[in-house]
Amino acid sequence: MLRSMFAGLAGCGLVALATPAAATFSIAACDAQKSCGVAVATNNLAVGASVAYAQGGVGAVVTQFETNPNYGPKGLSLLARGQDPQAVVTTLLAEDGGFEGQDQSWRQVAVVAPDGQAFAYTGAEAAAEAWAGHQAREGFSVQGNGLAGAEVLEAMKAAFAQASGPLADRLMAALEAGEAAGGQTTGQMSAALLVRTVEGGWSDVDLRVDAARAPVAELRRLLNLRQANERLAAAERAVRSERPDVARSQIAAAIALGGDWDRIWRRAARLRMSMDDRAGAVQALVGMHRLNPKWAKMERDDPLFAPVREDPALSRF
């Protein structure tokens, strides 16, 4: 009986009705490496704390509109036990428990499995927003409520399909496309990007913007900083394996991505000194000084930089 209740809304359907907006849009996906993740933005506080759930090799779950945070852990547990996404959603709705005095009609939920199966549901109360709906496709699902229109999800779907690289990049591209297509109609406040890999540990991505004027743009900045850090780690490995050309290329990429982070400039300066690139080390210390003069002066006075300390560019610190 529950399945028939929401069959018209679920799967690959779209829903559009008109009333004031609550406003959240998201994408959940898994890739060929069985990494699974979510990118989401909303006009509420700290969306990453309760809406997005993922586990490498298991799947991804989104619970939004009136979030039931029990859906995340329970959905992943059901996926791990072998239920397909449609069965997981059916179970979650049937066992909703009336969280915060609301029922299934207040839920918007999507579940994606590593084998590419995806299923989504938009309840009647969620569907009554200015524009609400979902599209579940092979390997991903996009969904939202309180949106500018169907074009938001269409843009997200296209961007995800066209993007390349790691799952985090593709999810971020989809979120940015949704924002560019009009995003939420009632403003914006927070955004999050979560990717869980099979390897786990430092391979995972968990970035959150809990409150900002432009949370999607800030989330992109955080992802850039994370990737800058990864580039420097690659440069350090290249130095150790005596591949200076690779190291220089990775350092340049790191600075391009994370040039507004003093720590990136500091690590670049130290790496360049280890490569006997004194001019490059001075340049990096100058870049660091622009962002954090006090720390840059401390670095200049470190014994590592004794060979370049009298450089005119550094003596002005």
Side-chain angles (χ1 to χ4, degrees):
M1 187 169 79
L2 180 62
R3 190 183 301 270
S4 63
M5 178 186 74
F6 62 85
L9 299 174
C12 300
L14 291 173
V15 180
L17 295 170
T19 56
T24 302
F25 59 104
S26 65
I27 176 170
C30 295
D31 66 11
Q33 289 72 47
K34 300 189 184 302
S35 295
C36 298
V38 173
V40 58
T42 190
N43 67 346
N44 208 342
L45 180 68
V47 69
S50 60
V51 168
Y53 300 84
Q55 184 176 343
V58 173
V61 178
V62 169
T63 168
Q64 59 192 44
F65 189 65
E66 293 302 332
T67 296
N68 185 335
N70 300 317
Y71 278 21
K74 186 171 184 177
L76 292 176
S77 177
L78 292 170
L79 285 169
R81 282 188 258 160
Q83 286 196 19
D84 63 54
Q86 183 170 354
V88 170
V89 172
T90 301
T91 300
L92 293 175
L93 294 171
E95 300 176 2
D96 181 86
F99 182 77
E100 291 196 337
Q102 295 148 341
D103 61 18
Q104 302 93 328
S105 66
W106 293 86
R107 314 302 180 205
Q108 187 172 52
V109 56
V111 177
V112 182
D115 65 2
Q117 294 185 75
F119 194 80
Y121 164 83
T122 300
E125 292 292 338
E129 289 306 309
W131 195 95
H134 59 262
Q135 292 197 40
R137 294 291 187 264
E138 181 71 19
F140 71 94
S141 178
V142 291
Q143 46 283 322
N145 53 80
L147 305 184
E151 62 271 19
V152 175
L153 298 191
E154 290 294 338
M156 295 176 73
K157 183 176 68 173
F160 184 75
Q162 294 165 10
S164 59
L167 183 59
D169 290 311
R170 300 178 67 199
L171 291 171
M172 190 69 231
L175 198 68
E176 289 174 318
E179 178 85 352
Q184 306 141 238
T185 57
T186 59
Q188 51 189 321
M189 188 174 193
S190 66
L193 176 64
L194 174 68
V195 175
R196 298 296 187 195
T197 63
V198 174
E199 298 80 11
W202 295 115
S203 298
D204 290 357
V205 177
D206 189 354
L207 300 173
R208 302 179 184 186
V209 178
D210 287 344
R213 292 186 182 276
V216 174
E218 178 63 11
L219 189 64
R220 164 57 76 179
R221 189 181 78 87
L222 294 181
L223 181 59
N224 285 348
L225 294 182
R226 186 186 192 281
Q227 292 175 338
N229 202 53
E230 292 173 343
R231 294 282 192 160
L232 280 180
E236 288 163 353
R237 291 192 294 271
V239 169
R240 289 195 296 271
S241 59
E242 298 182 350
R243 294 178 295 158
D245 290 344
V246 172
R248 281 190 286 269
S249 175
Q250 294 288 354
I251 292 170
I255 289 172
L257 286 164
D260 61 343
W261 188 8
D262 53 10
R263 189 175 295 271
I264 293 297
W265 289 103
R266 176 181 184 266
R267 289 178 66 186
R270 287 177 167 266
L271 263 176
R272 285 171 166 166
M273 282 302 292
S274 73
M275 299 167 65
D276 200 30
D277 178 7
R278 297 185 180 187
V282 169
Q283 181 185 44
L285 286 175
V286 170
M288 183 184 180
H289 186 262
R290 286 196 297 268
L291 299 170
N292 192 333
K294 184 175 181 179
W295 196 12
K297 185 177 183 300
M298 292 168 63
E299 279 297 295
R300 181 202 63 185
D301 294 340
D302 188 282
L304 174 67
F305 297 103
V308 297
R309 192 169 297 140
E310 301 307 317
D311 187 285
L314 301 185
S315 62
R316 292 195 294 267
F317 282 14

